[in-house]
Amino acid sequence: MVMSRTLTGFRNALMGLAVLVAAFAAVAAVGNDAALASTEAASVPGLPDGRGYEKVSPSDNDDGNVYPKWPVEISNAGEYTYLPYEAARNGDAVAYVGQPAAEGGVGREGAGAGNEYVARRNAQGKWEASIVLPPSEQVNVYPDYQAFSPDITQGLLTTNSEVPLVPGAIAELFDVPYARDFETGAYTSLLPVKPPNRTATQFKGYGVRLGGNTHQPVFAGATADFSHILYMANDALTLNAVDGGQTENNLYDFTGGELQLVNVLPDGSSEPGAVFGGPAEPGAGSNGPDFENVISTDGSRVFWTGEGANSNIYMREDGTKTVQIDAGVGGGGQYLTATPSGSKVLFTKEGSLYEYDVETEQTTDLVEGAEVQGLIGTSEDLSYIYFVANAQLAGAPKQGDCPGSAFEVKECNLYALHVGEPARYIATLSSKDNATSPKSFGWETGDWRAYLGAKEAAVSSSGNTALFSSILSLTGYENKEAQEFYVYEYGSGKLRCVSCKRSGEPAEGVESTEGRHFPYSAFLPSSFAPTYALHWMSSDGSRVFFNSVEALVPQDQNHTWDVYEWERDGSGTCTETEGCVYLISGGTSGEGNYLVDASESGNDVFFTTRAKLVAEDENESIDLYDAHVGAAPPPVAPQCSGSGCQGLPAATPTFATPASVTFDGVGNLPPTKPKAASKKAHKHSRHTRKRGQHRGKRGHGKRGHGKRRARSVGARRSAHNNGRGK
């Protein structure tokens, strides 16, 4: 009997050892070129907050790729788009771009292109996606979506055709703005009259580039229900509008089935040559105007600026009267933003920061002579303002000297201003933080860009949390001028690096075969849309989502770009004092995985990947996934083989933010000495990084089949340029 128990115990021990060995082998195999033989041991992904993977893009789309919206410098040839992505505020819908199916769409694909889809989670929790473009036989030039309603039930697009999309609409190859109801499929023409002074090729919103197209009216904003829709165009489309020529825009509000002219002066005359919000910032290159909160939530207030000699800020109210916002400072202000209700307006003039109260008609000088360069962001009620300025305020070590240039790096001071309190110094940033490489299709992205589509920073709704980037070492972490992302919490005064390596080892960044060093190891995707900034942070500031090329957790074994989440202590599943870092994209795909957008709560994180994260994913395509809080665990995937069978990742542990990436008080400490690493480990790190950069990738032809040769970053950029005909 004793012998029987001993043998049984020995056998059980062997079985336990075998299971342990198999588990370690499965983890080691993640991210290698060889695929896992079975996915049964990893059927439930190790995600935080009770998340599960949901496949958003359909499996029956002829193996068509979803086009990620990543920077050109790190994209695979043919796999990027100018067209807009946007997630619904509640996470139950998303607009995205991909290759066309055999039926539907306009056949538009390749570099910078794609077909617009809308996917929605149905009552059973399953995703249903469809192309939302007009039939190809109805359009001569590909239609472009510019914006969507917050719930993604409606969209705004322009297209030209010899046949209108609705009876009686203008056609004749004019770029006509339309609204589309995705639930009914109905179109509404927003151009009730034929442009009287422009030909079809001349009619557009002058001075604003949208993707690769400059020949179309430009949407500037709308109410959530689309009862008011703003756009600007270079012609007089109403009786009280004045034609200022091809290079000057008039501003219109489409409401009640009619156009109302917005650029009306207080004396009732119209002002040809105007822009919604504020004009493009000086030196912004191809970046466009500032449309942030240019229309109030009820549509009653619209903010605009005259151009040329009359560069004053105005508010058009109820379509009947106009008020000059910057009259108290003698005009000539630069619009920054407004509250959602339109009750308060923030603007600058000659470096000073001002707030205008619409109800009291009072102007307050918030920071006199601050030499303000721009905004990181504000709370919704403007009680918290995060701004960059040159002035030496609140204990800043020295005067700033922004803006600088591509060849001359300057220093710029970051401050926080809370109502009733003096300004607070946070850190000194680099001028390169507002002209970040990669430049992403010619746009320069940065922390205090006025153009929403190029902004790379965010502030929580309450204003207690700010997210921004820097190539400087703000907390003492040795980032080697690689771009990292930081969270500042006003209440505690803590500044944290959320993308720095948890091990304390220095950043490696990205290098090409030519040895060129790109100054970032993490990045946030930009929308490039003039009316929308992607959600990289939950509205309460407790979660931050970003891309990193560095392995921030041990489960990240694929040596390429992955999607991560930083979470504050007490939020979701995080119980670490300094916050937790989680791997969202699985770390299994040998190609880059890229953040697309998130819901306002952060319960939904959308990203693209070629990895097969659910059993129903049976093709080799790049797909769109949602890491959804509360998703049902996927079924156990069947056994598979081949290079495409990646399997699901092992459980991802939480990692607290170490002291080396956290700092109380002001930033810009001297770099801390990293933890000692053996020469062997360092050599292995360099080897794996190089292997990740030069790994061969699957082909990206029309349907993404086959394999292609390994490409260096430089080779991929050459392929991209060839694809654009350069």
Side-chain angles (χ1 to χ4, degrees), residues 358-401:
V358 171
E359 307 298 337
T360 64
E361 300 182 354
Q362 296 297 310
T363 301
T364 302
D365 189 343
L366 300 177
V367 189
E368 185 177 0
E371 299 181 53
V372 174
Q373 303 298 304
L375 289 180
I376 293 291
T378 72
S379 60
E380 286 191 350
D381 61 1
L382 298 187
S383 62
Y384 288 85
I385 302 170
Y386 294 84
F387 65 96
V388 172
N390 283 335
Q392 189 176 3
L393 308 171
K398 63 179 182 178
Q399 181 87 5
D401 52 4

Side-chain angles (χ1 to χ4, degrees), residues 274-300:
V275 63
F276 286 108
E281 54 196 337
S286 60
N287 290 352
D290 184 0
F291 291 156
E292 186 169 355
N293 291 332
V294 296
I295 184 170
S296 61
T297 51
D298 64 0
S300 64

Side-chain angles (χ1 to χ4, degrees), residues 504-552:
E505 294 177 326
E508 295 181 61
V510 179
E511 291 188 17
S512 69
T513 53
E514 294 82 8
R516 180 182 176 189
H517 182 74
F518 294 116
Y520 60 92
S521 61
F523 79 90
L524 298 176
S526 299
S527 71
F528 313 127
T531 61
Y532 182 72
L534 300 173
H535 292 108
W536 313 292
M537 181 170 65
S538 59
S539 58
D540 64 359
S542 65
R543 295 163 167 168
V544 172
F545 309 102
F546 59 94
N547 265 100
S548 177
V549 76
E550 313 281 3
L552 304 184

